[in-house]
Amino acid sequence: DMCKLGGMLANNSAGPRSLKYGAVKDNVLSLDVRLWDGTRLLAAPQRIGSPACEELFLRVPAVRGLYELIRDHRAASLARRRSCRKNSSGYNLFALAEGLERGVLDLPRLFVGSEGTLGLITEATIRLVPLPESTATALFFFARLAEVTRAVAALRPFAPSALELIDGHTLDLIGRARFGIPDGTKAVLLVEFDEPPAAERMAAADAACRGLTQTA
C-alpha cells in the first residue's frame, strides 16, 4: 500500500520479478511530461529522421540538443557501459545511446528513473502482461553467503521468474524464530517459477541446489 505508480516511474523501480519482466523502464510505452517551462512533451520512442521527430526537434529544442549530445558521444558511452541486470544510477544515457544504433531516440527510458528532475510526469502508457496461471515458490537456506552465487548460477537455466536474496542481518531483524529460520542460516534465497510446469521446474531446481544448500 506504500507503492505508487508515480514513484515507480521516478525511481525505475524493480522487484524480484525484474529477472524475467524487467524494471519499470522496460515496460513504459510513452509518458506525458511537463518540462520546466511548462512545455508539454509526449515522451515516446521517435524514429530519427521521421517527420514526427523533426517536428519534435523544432518544437522542443532541448530534445534536439539531447539527441546531438548522445549522438556525438555514443561510442564513448557504450564503451563504458557495465553489463548488469539492474542499473538505476543516474540518467539512462546508455539506453539512449543503444537506441540511436537502431535509429531510435528512446525518450521514455530517459525520463524513467530521473526522479522528477527532467520534468513532471502526468500520464504514462505502460505495457501489461497476463497474470500467470500458476506459480511455485520456495525458500532456499544457506549456511554461507558465498553459496548463494553458485545457487543463482545453478537456478538460471530453469528460468525462474523471481530471485530475491535476504541476508543474515535482515533475518535477525525480522526474527528468525518467528518464521522458523535455522540459527545457522546466513542467507535465504526466495525462488519463484511461473511458467508451466512450475512445480516440475521447482523440483528440478531443488535437486540442482541440494549440494549447495543447508536445507531446502
Side-chain angles (χ1 to χ4, degrees):
D1 61 352
M2 296 294 291
C3 186
K4 306 300 182 182
L5 186 57
M8 295 167 66
L9 291 165
N11 294 325
N12 185 32
S13 300
R17 295 180 182 87
S18 62
L19 177 68
K20 177 179 179 180
Y21 298 104
V24 169
K25 65 180 175 59
D26 302 307
N27 295 282
V28 174
L29 301 177
S30 66
L31 298 169
D32 199 341
V33 182
R34 296 298 190 277
L35 303 181
W36 68 274
D37 60 355
T39 300
R40 181 181 179 184
L41 170 66
L42 178 61
Q46 298 286 343
R47 176 66 58 181
I48 301 299
S50 69
C53 186
E54 292 301 320
E55 188 277 332
L56 177 61
F57 285 168
L58 289 174
R59 188 170 61 85
V60 189
V63 175
R64 178 187 292 276
L66 169 70
Y67 160 68
E68 293 174 348
L69 178 68
I70 300 300
R71 180 197 61 192
D72 295 344
H73 299 279
R74 180 178 58 189
S77 296
L78 294 176
R80 288 165 173 79
R81 178 166 190 173
R82 297 294 178 261
S83 177
C84 58
R85 294 287 304 180
K86 174 72 163 57
N87 183 358
S88 294
S89 176
Y91 301 115
N92 196 1
L93 301 181
F94 294 125
L96 269 68
E98 286 185 337
L100 290 191
E101 293 196 322
R102 306 189 306 273
V104 174
L105 182 61
D106 200 346
L107 288 175
R109 289 180 180 264
L110 175 68
F111 284 94
V112 173
S114 64
E115 299 189 2
T117 59
L118 299 179
L120 176 66
I121 298 172
T122 59
E123 294 183 15
T125 303
I126 58 177
R127 179 183 297 109
L128 302 179
V129 298
L131 290 173
E133 295 181 2
S134 64
T135 61
T137 307
L139 294 177
F140 290 83
F141 302 133
F142 297 86
R144 293 179 299 176
L145 186 59
E147 295 171 351
V148 179
T149 302
R150 298 197 300 273
V152 169
L155 289 167
R156 288 296 299 276
F158 301 104
S161 54
L163 289 174
E164 182 79 354
L165 170 69
I166 306 174
D167 62 29
H169 296 295
T170 304
L171 295 175
D172 292 336
L173 289 172
I174 65 176
R176 295 170 180 267
R178 180 183 176 190
F179 296 99
I181 300 171
D183 291 337
T185 301
K186 300 299 183 183
V188 169
L189 189 65
L190 183 149
V191 184
E192 178 189 87
F193 293 90
D194 67 3
E195 292 185 16
E200 286 79 353
R201 289 174 183 267
M202 182 61 72
D206 176 66
C209 290
R210 278 288 175 178
L212 305 173
T213 59
Q214 172 184 331
T215 57

